[in-house]
Amino acid sequence: MEHVYINRIGEHVGEEVEIKGWLYNKRSSGKIQFLIIRDGTDMIQGVVVKSEVDPEVFEDARSLTQESSIVVRGVVREEERAPSGYELSVTDLDIVQIAEDYPITPKEHGVEYLMNNRHLWLRSQKQHAVMLIRNEVIKASREFFDNRDFVLIDAPILTPAACEGTTTLFETDYFDETAYLSQSGQLYMEAAAMAFGKVYCFGPTFRAEKSKTRRHLMEFWMIEPEVAYLDMEGNMKLQEEFVAYIIQKVLENRSKELEILERDTSKLEAVVPPFPRISYDEAVEILQKNGAEIKWGEDFGGGDETIIANHFDKPVFVHRYPTAIKAFYMKPDPERPEVVLGSDLLAPEGYGEIIGGGERISDPELLKQRMAEHDLPEDAYAWYLDLRRFGSVPHSGFGMGLERAIAWICGLPHLRETIPFARLINRIYP
Ligand code: 4AD
Ligand code: MG
């Protein structure tokens, strides 16, 4: 008999098929048992009628516990009332294993308990939906850049120097040297952009964030394009087209998952270019008018970002931050060197900064000066300075935090559910 996956079961109406999976849930009304079976691709209700199957099959069905693994055979029927539109009239059943005392039951559990059982929690319907949306966001991101002739260039994970400040580095022995887990692939993408023109990397990045917030992971994934001969304006345009593309693909292909997550999709449908652009100066004004205690020159906290974003129903670019609070590589505005030609993209509804990026310094002397101001050792960055010696060109790029984007798209307040196995300040298990 043909083994079919539940998400494809509609191609087999009227046929007898075999599905291989696990028992998600079960109801019984004496002479009929309703098995909710999942196989990773979807769920389906299997109906076991006492008068229609062998007595052992009915007894086996009765013995099934939550998450027991089973191979089920039956006839596929259309069923309008079923969420998937189909139902299985069970004819036969093999038990692969009986699961005893599965720790996650349909009742409510605390978050710490669920995170301790993350390896099992991933099987739950809501977590399943989040991971499928994550998969869709990754797919759409790759597609967006591939369609535009960007080349995927992988950045190293073990690196000799910092990209985003020395305070959040994870350090490790590297034979007789010290290595750091990459905070960002950007510096390597700059080298790659000079070789290939338009590039991007997608990989894990690491930051020892010492504060405990709902927006910070120690290990998160970033998608980082870098483009030669691109300025800040072009960089923002690329970002809004990119973000709108991802949202469009999720709306198109993952509407069922968004519904499971009870996401208000009208908020996502509004995300079409152009996105509003405000300067840091204007953002500070908005904050001060709203009673936030912030002075020009200070960085925004999560609460500040929410106040700014709440003024818009699309993501908003905040550009030209003070040079003093941004990374060493950001290009100061030639007209006003106290601010940089960089931008952050803040998601609506209080999900915070999802993208950081901007134009990079292309002048070797200025770059050296900025590195000295940041106390960065020139020898470790000699190769990076080379990029400014041999055919330096204006160039820009950005990094989108995958988990931040997913939290926003799914409507999840905390990043911990957006990644299969979150690394948090107090958690490296499981
Ligand atoms: O703003 P960031 O620090 O920028 C960079 O790393 C640049 N080098 C990227 C580039 O231009 N190629 O980080 C970029 C994004 C943030 O906007 C945020 O979405 C995410 O990465 N991010 C984090 N996400 C989860 N946990 C953390 N600890 C994060 N830190 C940054
Ligand atoms: Mg940033």
Side-chain angles (χ1 to χ4, degrees):
M1 199 175 302
E2 193 181 353
H3 168 214
V4 302
Y5 284 97
I6 298 170
N7 65 334
R8 296 281 173 151
I9 212 150
E11 297 161 18
H12 300 271
V13 175
E15 294 170 32
E16 190 172 18
V17 300
E18 182 173 82
I19 58 180
K20 301 180 174 189
W22 297 262
L23 185 80
Y24 193 72
N25 208 343
K26 185 171 84 167
R27 287 182 299 124
S28 164
S29 70
K31 291 187 168 63
I32 306 184
Q33 298 182 68
F34 301 96
L35 313 177
I36 308 296
I37 307 154
R38 58 169 199 90
D39 73 350
T41 67
D42 207 344
M43 295 201 219
I44 192 166
Q45 175 161 277
V47 184
V48 195
V49 181
K50 193 170 185 180
S51 60
E52 292 174 6
V53 294
D54 283 347
E56 307 94 86
V57 171
F58 199 77
E59 272 319 298
D60 280 352
R62 205 193 286 283
S63 75
L64 293 179
T65 53
Q66 191 189 347
E67 287 305 314
S68 288
S69 36
I70 44 179
V71 176
V72 184
R73 285 170 286 277
V75 179
V76 182
R77 305 210 183 284
E78 268 175 301
E79 171 51 69
E80 265 180 31
R81 285 163 300 172
S84 64
Y86 304 99
E87 206 174 66
L88 194 72
S89 298
V90 175
T91 51
D92 196 9
L93 170 79
D94 296 334
I95 297 173
V96 182
Q97 195 217 18
I98 291 287
E100 280 175 33
D101 301 325
Y102 188 69
I104 301 176
T105 59
K107 72 165 196 194
E108 290 276 313
H109 297 287
V111 167
E112 280 306 299
Y113 179 85
L114 290 168
M115 287 302 286
N116 282 334
N117 287 288
R118 184 62 173 168
H119 50 299
L120 304 174
W121 191 23
L122 283 175
R123 302 180 191 190
S124 302
Q125 196 179 29
K126 198 176 146 203
Q127 301 309 312
H128 195 261
V130 175
M131 289 306 130
L132 289 183
I133 289 173
R134 181 183 170 101
N135 185 54
E136 194 68 35
V137 172
I138 294 171
K139 219 160 77 181
S141 299
R142 300 278 312 259
E143 220 170 68
F144 177 85
F145 289 112
D146 292 349
N147 287 347
R148 291 172 181 233
D149 298 331
F150 281 61
V151 182
L152 176 75
I153 300 284
D154 301 310
I157 305 281
L158 291 166
T159 60
C163 178
E164 294 298 326
T166 49
T167 56
T168 61
L169 284 172
F170 275 111
E171 203 177 297
T172 184
D173 281 342
Y174 193 78
F175 308 104
D176 293 332
E177 291 180 65
T178 301
Y180 308 97
L181 298 184
S182 175
Q183 297 168 309
S184 158
Q186 179 195 320
L187 307 187
Y188 296 95
M189 289 308 102
E190 290 183 57
M194 301 307 142
F196 298 89
K198 295 183 280 188
V199 298
Y200 71 106
C201 65
F202 174 56
T205 46
F206 306 85
R207 298 206 192 161
E209 307 273 5
K210 276 129 203 148
S211 58
K212 192 173 163 182
T213 85
R214 61 197 177 86
R215 289 180 185 167
H216 289 92
L217 297 167
M218 304 303 127
E219 183 178 306
F220 63 99
W221 287 65
M222 218 184 338
I223 183 130
E224 298 183 88
E226 192 73 30
V227 184
Y229 293 104
L230 187 71
D231 63 9
M232 182 178 75
E233 286 304 321
N235 195 39
M236 289 195 283
K237 191 153 178 293
L238 185 65
Q239 290 173 54
E240 63 192 5
E241 286 170 4
F242 172 56
V243 169
Y245 184 84
I246 294 173
I247 298 290
Q248 202 46 48
K249 285 292 160 185
V250 173
L251 285 169
E252 259 172 52
N253 300 328
R254 292 294 167 197
S255 57
K256 191 181 124 197
E257 285 71 25
L258 290 169
E259 201 180 315
I260 290 170
L261 297 170
E262 295 171 32
R263 183 66 168 111
D264 177 356
T265 49
S266 68
K267 294 253 172 32
L268 297 177
E269 277 151 15
V271 180
V272 284
F275 298 168
R277 291 150 165 74
I278 61 170
S279 65
Y280 170 88
D281 302 357
E282 291 169 300
V284 169
E285 259 176 52
I286 291 180
L287 288 171
Q288 287 173 343
K289 273 196 200 127
N290 285 271
E293 283 196 25
I294 187 150
K295 291 192 287 292
W296 197 98
E298 290 172 355
D299 206 355
F300 302 146
D304 299 323
E305 287 175 357
T306 300
I307 294 173
I308 299 164
N310 280 346
H311 281 68
F312 305 93
D313 51 14
K314 294 183 193 182
V316 54
F317 287 109
V318 180
H319 56 79
R320 294 186 172 76
Y321 281 80
T323 307
I325 55 169
K326 284 293 182 185
F328 74 96
Y329 52 72
M330 289 223 186
K331 179 173 176 171
D333 186 344
E335 321 244 291
R336 223 186 127 193
E338 72 275 17
V339 296
V340 286
L341 297 178
S343 59
D344 283 357
L345 184 65
L346 311 182
E349 304 172 72
Y351 290 96
E353 175 198 334
I354 52 171
I355 292 183
E359 189 171 338
R360 325 306 189 181
I361 295 175
S362 51
D363 176 66
E365 290 315 312
L366 181 56
L367 184 59
K368 270 191 211 164
Q369 185 194 320
R370 292 290 290 146
M371 283 173 49
E373 285 164 19
H374 282 254
D375 276 330
L376 298 172
E378 236 179 70
D379 52 342
Y381 294 86
W383 68 270
Y384 186 64
L385 283 160
D386 273 356
L387 305 175
R388 278 72 183 168
R389 292 174 60 209
F390 304 112
S392 189
V393 301
H395 61 288
S396 303
F398 63 86
M400 185 186 80
L402 183 69
E403 290 76 15
R404 295 267 186 97
I406 294 166
W408 164 48
I409 293 170
C410 293
L412 297 169
H414 198 296
L415 289 194
R416 67 190 156 220
E417 290 177 45
T418 62
I419 186 164
F421 296 96
R423 298 300 174 233
L424 302 165
I425 193 161
N426 54 357
R427 172 174 302 282
I428 196 170
Y429 177 92

